[in-house]
């Protein structure tokens, strides 16, 4: 993919163009022109007085390419500087941006610009989660090759992103369907395979008996039928690839406590993982004393009591009774429905070498997702009852001492240990032998990653009749997808139709072999992309560890709540795994998580059929919306925007009508990020942010007019009252800087930040003309306001700054007026403002109603008697309290408030 710089020309030309523009500015005549001229300062050097529709268009047209150019400059990572890695979840290239995209990427863009202004080295990368089923469906329905369809969609969405003026670090772009990316997805798979964490076993899939193909869950409708053939979907056992995420369950559960608050997502992660108190252990199955090729993993809540195991317990629905197992006939023959069935099959514990019988349970379900568990009568009354009923011998392995301490007995080398010591010893031994032992819960299942699809990362495995399952050598990566041209949606995986690709030689014995024809779940591609962004062009390894250690963890990760469990869990798993391989220093990939709400719009449905109507089919003129044709009353609800519901809003249309800055401000102002936005452009926040931009522009106009009036500004000409008002502006400026900075860094409450900036705007509008003309505080507050607006509305802020920068007779010398607003340093609170003042402004309440404020000395502000007396002696006290019976008074030093309760 081309970077932004490659598309717009080298950065040196960007710089040259800007330099020429700046030299031209010097020659411009700096004067106000009538509003009807509709020019902007950056074009002509003439300040347009009013910010109307035409001016807004000119401002955005002028600044749009310049702001984009500023963010395309590529520089080497400077590891001596503080960094900030902001990441928004990359999109699937569906071909069209929706308002949900606009929201998440506007947030990341504002944060990236803010952190850059704070002096951070920032990356805000973007890429494409580009494999997936929709591309294959397009191939079936429209005859488009998935690669062509995907590439076309990416190009279109890139243009849409550009139209929104987003500051992505495009030179770090990744596309998961390109071999230079999925080579390293395959590399990580091989590392998982080597570690025994990637493995193959039989599992149930959705099978379409008509089309003779495997269906993804989303291809099965609510009635359990195939979306294409309409046939009733069957469940069928096929060999599938899994990643043993349960091996990291305990580590990932424990690591949650070290993460900051994640808006309730940590609780969702913890619930998904479950309480990791037990583990699975591997058994080898025998029938009639003969060892079979079948292995079975079974769960126990009490691994420390494993020497007391009496039987292995499986459900009637277990794969051994239904799949392609060599023991299937034995189990089916010996199973008596509704009864615990003792079979002739035995299981040899690969850790203790004990041999115990396999029992098929009378139950249809165990706790959560278990289908096989170890029966240990010493720790389970239920297991003891089963063993007793079936006549299975049992051994007591837990002894309780008089002091209440429980010890392990009759358990070989762990005899005499406490239960906790024995638990640790058993699990460590099992893990060392790779036969289980990883503490996990009874609800977490390993990750099934096989997909019988074409458009996905090929699994780098070769099947040889002699050598078995053989990994593709690292030097042969990537295993590139063949160019399959025919897609029917029927039959086996499309990869089967490429014999020249499937048939290969075994890397070990060189005999004829076959490639794995399953591809990987797309969640695998997105489970490590944040690491690739740190070093996206590396051709020797997935990423350079030094660069990953510098940039990681992601400082702020932004995305939808729908990804708060699975994607987040898989991404955390890969990060923990890479840490164990010593590829990364950090275990956890994400520091702060910001989960944004949906953007919803009204859906109009016919009450009779539930059919959704287009807005043009609805009559909105009455008190209630009705169907335009029939007059039928409609069911109206707020729902996530969707094409099928006819309630979508096209971002391009909104930008055309309102402009980029207005849309950005609306998105940030309409609601806190984690809450849903109910879209209603006419009566909601849109007019509010439009008016605010007009008022901001008017402030700049006010100052420019004052400074070009012919009167030289001189702060000494302000009288005492005006100086006091200037001091209040200074205090308000510092307060707003403090609050807005906190909103950007801690809570990410952009709506509150905009609200505080609006309040500062109001304060400045109330300033009288002498203050505007002569006050350093007014000029500094307006400049600071302009800088703080810039990350959220960069176009109007850039033009306002340009007008201020070329204004004559400036009083503030600490701002870098010669560079654009997005390159200014974020305002800091003045040190003097942080000093405790000599006096405290004490709020006075009478019968819980505010009636004014009184200044009291700092040293007296916490003393009830002194404050009480000073208020009574003040002008306010004389006016409101003199001669009245005071029943009681309460002082709150923390909030500087005193409340008098008086007789009415």
């Amino acid at each position: 993919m081309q970077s932004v710089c490659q598309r717009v020309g080298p950065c040196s030309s960007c710089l040259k163009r800007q330099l020429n523009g700046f030299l031209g500015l010097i020659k411009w005549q700096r004067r106000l022109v009538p509003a009807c001229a509709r020019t902007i300062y950056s074009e002509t050097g003439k300040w347009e007085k009013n910010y109307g529709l035409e001016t807004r268009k000119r401002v955005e047209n002028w600044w749009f390419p310049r702001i984009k150019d500023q963010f395309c400059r590529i520089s080497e990572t400077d590891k001596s500087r503080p960094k900030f890695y902001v990441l928004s979840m990359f999109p699937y290239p569906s071909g069209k941006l929706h308002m949900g995209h606009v929201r998440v990427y506007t947030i990341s863009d504002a944060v990236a610009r803010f952190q850059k202004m704070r002096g951070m080295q920032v990356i805000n990368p973007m890429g494409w989660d580009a494999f997936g089923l929709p591309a294959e469906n397009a191939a079936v329905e429209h005859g488009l090759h998935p690669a062509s369809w995907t590439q076309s969609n990416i190009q279109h969405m890139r243009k849409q992103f550009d139209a929104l003026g987003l500051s992505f670090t495009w030179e770090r772009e990744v596309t998961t369907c390109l071999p230079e990316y999925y080579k390293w997805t395959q590399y990580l798979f091989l590392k998982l395979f080597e570690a025994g964490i990637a493995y193959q076993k039989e599992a149930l899939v959705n099978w379409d008996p008509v089309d003779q193909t495997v269906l993804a869950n989303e291809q099965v409708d609510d009635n359990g039928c195939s979306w294409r053939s309409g046939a009733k979907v069957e469940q069928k056992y096929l060999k599938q690839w899994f990643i043993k995420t349960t091996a990291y369950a305990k580590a990932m559960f424990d690591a949650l406590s070290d993460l900051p608050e994640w808006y309730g997502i940590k609780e969702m992660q913890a619930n998904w993982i479950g309480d990791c108190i037990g583990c699975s252990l591997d058994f080898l199955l025998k029938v009639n004393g003969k060892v079979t090729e079948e292995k079975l993993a079974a769960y126990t809540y009490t691994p420390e009591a494993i020497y007391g195991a009496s039987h292995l317990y499986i459900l009637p629905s277990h794969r051994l009774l239904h799949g392609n197992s060599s023991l299937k006939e034995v189990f089916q023959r010996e199973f008596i429905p509704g009864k615990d069935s003792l079979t002739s099959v035995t299981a040899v514990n690969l850790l203790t070498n004990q041999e115990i019988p396999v029992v098929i349970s009378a139950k249809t379900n165990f706790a959560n997702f278990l289908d096989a568990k170890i029966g240990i009568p010493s720790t389970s009354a239920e297991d003891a009852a089963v063993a007793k009923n079936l006549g299975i011998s049992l051994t007591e392995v837990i002894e309780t001492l008089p002091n209440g301490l429980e010890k392990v007995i009759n358990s070989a080398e762990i005899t005499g240990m406490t239960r906790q010591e024995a638990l640790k010893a058993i699990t460590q031994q099992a893990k060392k032998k790779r036969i289980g032992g990883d503490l996990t819960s009874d609800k977490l299942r390993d990750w099934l990653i096989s997909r019988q699809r074409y458009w996905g990362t090929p699994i780098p495995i070769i099947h040889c009749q002699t050598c078995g399952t053989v990994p593709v050598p690292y030097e042969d990566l990537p295993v590139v997808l063949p160019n399959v041209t025919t897609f029917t949606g029927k039959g086996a995986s499309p990869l089967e139709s490429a014999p020249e690709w499937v048939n290969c030689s075994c890397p070990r014995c060189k005999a004829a072999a076959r490639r794995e024809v399953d591809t990987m779940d797309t969640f695998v591609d997105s489970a490590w992309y944040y690491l690739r962004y740190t070093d996206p062009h590396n051709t020797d390894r997935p990423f350079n560890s030094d660069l990953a250690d510098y940039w990681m963890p992601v400082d702020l990760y932004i995305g939808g709540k729908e990804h708060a469990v699975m994607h987040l869990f898989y991404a955390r798993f890969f990060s923990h795994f890479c840490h164990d391989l010593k590829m990364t220093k950090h275990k956890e990939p994400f520091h702060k998580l910001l989960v944004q709400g949906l953007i919803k719009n009204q859906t109009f449905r016919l009450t009779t059929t539930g059919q959704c109507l287009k807005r043009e089919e609805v009559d909105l003129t009455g008190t209630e919306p009705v169907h335009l044709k029939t007059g039928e009353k409609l069911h109206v609800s707020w729902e996530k925007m969707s094409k099928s519901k006819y309630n979508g809003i096209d971002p391009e249309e909104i930008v055309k009508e309102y402009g980029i800055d207005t849309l950005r401000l609306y998105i940030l102002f309409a609601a806190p990020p984690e809450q849903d936005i109910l879209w209603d452009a006419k009566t909601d926040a849109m007019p509010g942010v439009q008016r605010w931009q007009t008022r901001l522009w008017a402030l700049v106009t006010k100052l420019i007019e004052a400074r070009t009036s012919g009167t030289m500004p001189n702060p000494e000409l302000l009288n005492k009252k005006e100086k006091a008002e200037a001091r209040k502006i200074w205090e308000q400026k510092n307060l707003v800087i403090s609050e807005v900075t906190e909103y950007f860094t801690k809570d990410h409450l952009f709506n509150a930040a905009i609200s505080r900036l609006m309040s500062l705007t109001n304060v400045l509008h109330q300033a009288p003309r002498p203050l505007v003309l002569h006050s350093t505080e007014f000029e500094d507050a307006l400049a600071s306001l302009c800088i703080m607006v810039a990350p959220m509305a960069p176009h109007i802020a850039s033009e306002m700054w340009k007008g201020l920068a070329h204004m004559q007779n400036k009083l503030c010398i600490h701002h870098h007026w010669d560079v654009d607003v997005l390159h200014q340093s974020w305002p800091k609170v003045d040190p003097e403002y942080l000093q405790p003042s000599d006096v405290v402004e004490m709020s006075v309440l009478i019968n819980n109603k505010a009636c004014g404020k009184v200044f009291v000395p700092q040293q007296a502000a916490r003393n009830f008697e002194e404050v009480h007396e000073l208020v009574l002696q003040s002008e306010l006290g004389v006016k409101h309290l003199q001669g009245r019976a005071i029943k009681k008074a309460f002082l709150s030093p923390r909030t500087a408030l005193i409340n008098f309760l008086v007789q009415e």
Side-chain angles (χ1 to χ4, degrees):
M1 298 296 292
Q2 284 187 312
S3 71
V4 173
C5 284
Q6 288 171 315
R7 286 185 295 109
V8 298
C11 288
S12 58
S13 68
C14 302
L15 190 63
K16 186 177 180 181
R17 210 163 49 240
Q18 287 179 318
L19 190 60
N20 289 339
F22 179 69
L23 292 171
L25 284 174
I26 299 173
K27 301 172 186 176
W28 288 351
Q29 185 180 3
R30 302 185 182 98
R31 61 183 178 82
L32 288 164
V33 296
C36 58
R38 297 289 178 261
T39 59
I40 64 166
Y41 188 86
S42 294
E43 287 180 317
T44 64
K46 302 168 184 176
W47 182 258
E48 167 59 43
K49 188 173 180 180
N50 298 310
Y51 192 68
L53 176 65
E54 199 59 40
T55 304
R56 187 263 295 166
K57 285 181 180 177
R58 285 179 173 274
V59 165
E60 292 192 354
N61 287 342
W62 174 268
W63 283 106
F64 176 81
R66 289 157 178 80
I67 288 171
K68 196 171 68 174
D69 285 355
Q70 289 169 5
F71 271 84
C72 82
R73 295 176 191 159
I74 301 170
S75 60
E76 292 295 316
T77 299
D78 180 359
K79 294 176 192 167
S80 66
R81 288 177 57 196
K83 65 88 183 181
F84 196 91
Y85 184 175
V86 56
L87 179 62
S88 40
M89 294 178 185
F90 63 172
Y92 178 76
S94 60
K96 198 162 183 65
L97 287 182
H98 55 68
M99 292 303 296
H101 288 130
V102 176
R103 188 177 195 189
V104 65
Y105 301 131
T106 296
I107 291 171
S108 67
D109 182 82
V111 170
R113 294 183 189 279
F114 163 76
Q115 292 292 351
K116 194 167 185 179
M117 293 169 85
R118 292 183 81 209
M120 297 289 188
Q121 187 167 214
V122 176
I123 55 170
N124 177 26
M126 179 46 63
W128 310 97
D129 192 8
F131 275 134
L133 193 56
E136 214 157 319
N137 292 341
V140 174
E141 292 169 21
H142 308 297
L144 294 168
H145 192 277
S148 304
W149 186 84
T150 302
Q151 192 62 34
S152 172
N153 286 352
I154 286 173
Q155 289 173 357
H156 183 64
M157 289 178 76
R158 274 289 296 265
K159 289 176 183 174
Q160 289 181 305
F161 273 132
D162 284 349
L164 291 168
L166 298 166
S167 64
F168 291 124
T169 320
W170 279 113
E171 67 268 15
R172 293 178 182 269
E173 180 181 25
V174 300
T175 305
T176 60
C177 68
L178 296 180
E180 53 263 37
Y181 182 89
Y182 67 72
K183 171 183 180 177
W184 302 113
T185 305
Q186 293 171 340
Y187 171 95
L188 291 169
F189 175 90
L190 292 179
K191 291 293 182 185
L192 289 163
F193 183 76
E194 287 172 8
I197 291 174
Y199 66 95
Q200 201 175 22
K201 73 171 184 181
E202 279 193 328
L204 282 173
V205 295
N206 300 313
W207 180 257
D208 183 328
V210 174
D211 284 347
Q212 293 286 296
T213 190
V214 175
L215 301 174
N217 287 334
E218 58 266 32
Q219 292 179 304
V220 181
D221 66 23
D222 293 338
N223 298 315
C225 296
S226 168
W227 71 316
R228 189 179 304 282
S229 71
K232 196 73 177 176
V233 172
E234 299 171 358
Q235 296 289 292
K236 185 176 180 178
Y237 276 93
L238 289 179
K239 269 204 159 184
Q240 305 276 280
W241 282 96
F242 288 81
I243 292 176
K244 195 185 292 182
T245 48
T246 51
Y248 281 82
K250 185 72 165 71
M252 291 171 66
F253 186 95
D254 292 345
L256 288 170
S257 61
D258 298 327
L259 294 169
E261 178 52 48
W262 273 11
Y263 297 100
I265 304 304
K266 283 205 296 185
E267 289 76 12
M268 292 170 69
Q269 284 276 301
N271 186 56
W272 177 265
I273 297 169
D275 294 326
C276 301
I277 56 173
C279 72
S280 289
L281 295 170
D282 289 347
F283 290 79
L284 189 65
L285 300 186
K286 296 168 73 174
V287 61
N288 299 322
K290 291 182 180 179
V291 175
T292 69
E293 293 182 355
E294 292 288 352
K295 281 186 180 179
L296 177 63
Y299 187 83
T300 173
Y301 295 97
T302 54
E304 69 277 12
I306 190 61
Y307 281 92
S310 60
H311 58 281
L312 209 61
Y313 215 21
I314 65 173
L315 289 175
S317 58
H318 195 279
R319 66 176 178 85
L320 290 173
L321 279 79
H322 303 279
N324 301 306
S325 164
S326 59
L327 298 173
K328 178 178 175 179
E329 286 185 16
V330 177
F331 279 127
Q332 287 185 345
R333 185 172 62 245
E334 298 180 352
F335 170 51
I336 304 170
K339 289 187 177 182
D340 288 326
S341 307
L342 182 63
T343 72
S344 59
V345 180
T346 57
V348 179
N349 188 324
L350 294 177
L351 182 66
T352 66
N353 291 318
Q354 289 176 298
E355 189 169 341
I356 56 177
V358 176
V359 175
I360 304 172
S361 175
K363 294 182 174 182
T364 54
N365 289 295
F366 292 148
N368 291 311
F369 297 120
L370 296 181
D371 62 0
K373 64 178 186 175
I374 305 168
I376 304 179
S378 288
T379 57
S380 166
E382 182 186 349
D383 293 346
V386 171
K388 185 178 178 182
N389 291 339
L390 295 175
I392 302 171
S393 62
L394 48 90
T395 304
E396 191 61 56
V397 291
I398 303 294
E399 179 185 40
T400 304
L401 302 180
N403 63 1
L405 183 67
E406 290 183 309
K407 287 210 164 187
V408 177
I409 58 174
N410 302 321
S411 299
E413 74 279 2
I414 64 170
T415 297
M417 292 184 181
T418 64
R419 288 187 69 168
Q420 196 58 38
E421 290 167 344
L423 173 68
K424 188 175 180 182
I426 289 294
T427 53
Q428 282 183 344
Q429 285 176 37
K431 283 193 281 189
K432 191 174 181 181
K433 292 182 178 182
R434 287 195 180 179
I435 53 173
D438 297 296
L439 286 178
T440 184
S441 71
D442 60 7
K443 66 194 297 186
L444 186 66
R445 292 181 286 184
D446 285 340
W447 177 12
L448 193 162
I449 65 160
S450 280
R451 297 293 181 268
Q452 291 70 40
R453 295 283 168 266
Y454 168 76
W455 196 236
T457 298
I459 294 175
I461 291 291
I462 291 170
H463 299 286
C464 172
Q465 285 193 328
T466 306
C467 305
T469 302
V470 182
V472 172
Y474 287 105
E475 60 269 22
D476 292 345
L477 297 180
V479 177
V480 179
L481 281 171
N483 186 25
V484 173
T485 55
T486 304
F487 297 88
T488 64
K490 299 179 181 181
S493 166
L495 290 174
E496 293 272 21
S497 67
E500 72 288 350
W501 182 85
V502 174
N503 299 317
C504 61
S505 58
C506 172
R508 287 182 187 161
C509 70
K510 308 305 177 188
R514 284 173 58 84
R515 292 193 187 279
E516 175 61 60
V517 293
D518 282 359
T519 53
M520 296 187 209
D521 177 8
T522 56
F523 273 119
V524 181
D525 307 311
S526 59
W528 73 281
Y529 77 116
Y530 51 87
L531 287 165
R532 185 63 176 174
Y533 277 142
T534 66
D535 190 18
H537 308 298
N538 198 321
T539 56
D540 299 322
R541 62 190 86 171
F543 49 86
N544 178 287
S545 293
D546 288 342
L547 286 171
D549 290 345
Y550 171 74
W551 284 112
M552 295 296 293
V554 173
D555 294 279
L556 181 65
Y557 194 35
I558 310 167
K561 200 168 187 175
E562 65 272 22
H563 301 299
V565 176
M566 288 199 296
H567 162 64
L568 211 53
F569 176 78
Y570 299 142
R572 293 182 62 226
F573 164 80
F574 261 83
S575 186
H576 277 250
F577 178 69
C578 288
H579 172 78
D580 282 359
L581 291 183
K582 306 221 175 333
M583 294 172 73
T584 59
K585 177 171 68 177
H586 304 281
K587 273 188 181 182
E588 286 294 328
F590 313 120
H591 179 58
K592 280 192 174 181
L593 181 70
L594 180 57
V595 177
Q596 97 280 356
L598 301 171
I599 298 186
K600 295 180 176 181
N601 202 4
Q602 287 180 314
T603 303
F604 300 96
R605 280 189 174 86
L606 291 172
T607 51
T608 49
T609 64
Q611 178 193 341
C612 294
L613 298 178
K614 297 176 183 177
R615 192 160 282 237
E616 55 266 30
E617 297 176 304
V618 179
D619 182 357
L620 296 167
T621 57
T623 54
E624 289 183 331
V626 295
H627 191 192
L628 200 59
K629 280 186 181 177
T630 65
E632 179 184 336
K633 285 186 180 179
L634 303 176
H635 174 72
V636 183
S637 57
W638 291 94
E639 297 181 41
K640 181 180 178 180
M641 291 185 182
S642 161
K643 276 185 190 175
S644 62
K645 296 171 188 170
Y646 303 114
N647 68 342
I649 301 288
D650 186 348
E652 291 182 56
E653 293 303 314
I654 297 297
V655 167
K656 280 180 191 172
E657 185 175 354
Y658 295 101
I660 299 172
D661 285 340
T662 302
L663 176 58
R664 287 168 62 97
L665 288 171
Y666 173 85
I667 290 286
L668 297 171
F669 183 56
E674 71 277 8
Q675 290 183 14
D676 294 341
I677 290 176
L678 303 182
W679 183 274
D680 192 342
K682 290 186 178 177
T683 61
D684 202 5
M686 195 73 84
V689 293
Q690 283 181 302
R691 286 192 300 271
W692 181 43
Q693 290 173 87
T694 303
R695 286 169 64 76
L696 285 168
W697 189 273
L699 282 174
V700 177
T701 299
K702 198 173 183 179
L703 184 58
I704 291 174
E705 284 181 335
R707 295 293 169 82
T708 54
S709 63
T711 305
M712 287 295 292
N714 182 358
E716 296 302 317
L717 296 177
L718 296 174
N719 60 36
K720 187 177 180 181
K721 183 182 177 184
E722 289 165 345
K723 284 179 179 177
E725 288 177 353
R727 173 81 183 186
K728 285 184 179 177
I729 288 175
W730 175 83
E731 289 173 350
Q732 186 69 15
K733 177 208 75 170
N734 279 290
L735 176 62
V736 170
I737 289 171
S738 170
E739 291 177 333
V740 170
T741 304
E742 187 162 319
Y743 287 136
F744 261 96
T745 54
K746 291 185 180 177
D747 306 319
H748 307 292
L749 295 176
F750 307 105
N751 61 316
I754 291 172
S755 181
R756 296 304 293 126
L757 294 173
M758 286 176 170
S759 73
L760 181 57
T761 306
N762 293 338
V763 168
L764 295 179
H765 263 290
Q766 291 164 10
R769 192 176 184 283
L771 218 61
V772 176
L773 175 59
H774 297 299
S775 164
T776 305
E777 290 84 354
F778 182 93
E779 183 181 308
D780 186 33
L782 181 53
S784 299
L785 175 61
C786 194
I787 294 169
M788 288 188 282
V789 168
M792 296 180 283
H795 304 89
I796 186 174
S798 294
E799 182 62 19
M800 291 193 304
W801 185 264
K802 191 63 77 176
L804 292 174
H806 293 280
M807 175 182 68
Q808 296 175 0
N809 308 316
K810 286 188 288 291
L811 296 171
C812 294
I813 57 171
H814 61 280
H815 293 294
H816 301 291
W817 296 107
D818 57 333
V819 294
D820 289 339
V821 70
L822 289 168
H823 295 284
Q824 298 299 314
S825 295
W826 185 259
K828 290 185 174 66
V829 175
D830 294 317
E832 185 190 341
Y833 180 78
L834 298 172
Q835 302 292 325
S837 61
D838 296 333
V839 293
V840 172
E841 200 173 26
M842 186 70 62
S843 297
V844 179
L845 278 68
I846 297 175
N847 290 338
N848 300 314
K849 292 181 180 178
C851 68
K853 296 184 178 183
V854 171
F855 290 101
V856 300
Q858 175 76 40
Q859 62 271 23
R862 306 187 73 83
N863 186 297
F864 172 75
E865 285 80 12
E866 290 190 49
V867 172
H868 188 277
E869 192 57 35
L870 286 166
V871 172
L872 290 178
Q873 292 174 8
S874 69
E875 186 178 335
L876 181 145
V878 170
K879 180 179 178 182
H880 294 287
L881 293 169
Q882 199 171 56
R884 300 179 74 178
I886 299 171
K887 295 190 289 186
K888 207 164 190 179
F890 302 92
L891 174 68
S892 171
R894 188 178 63 82
T895 55
L897 179 149
I898 187 167
N899 187 10
F900 291 90
L901 300 182
V902 302
Q903 190 80 43
E904 290 291 358

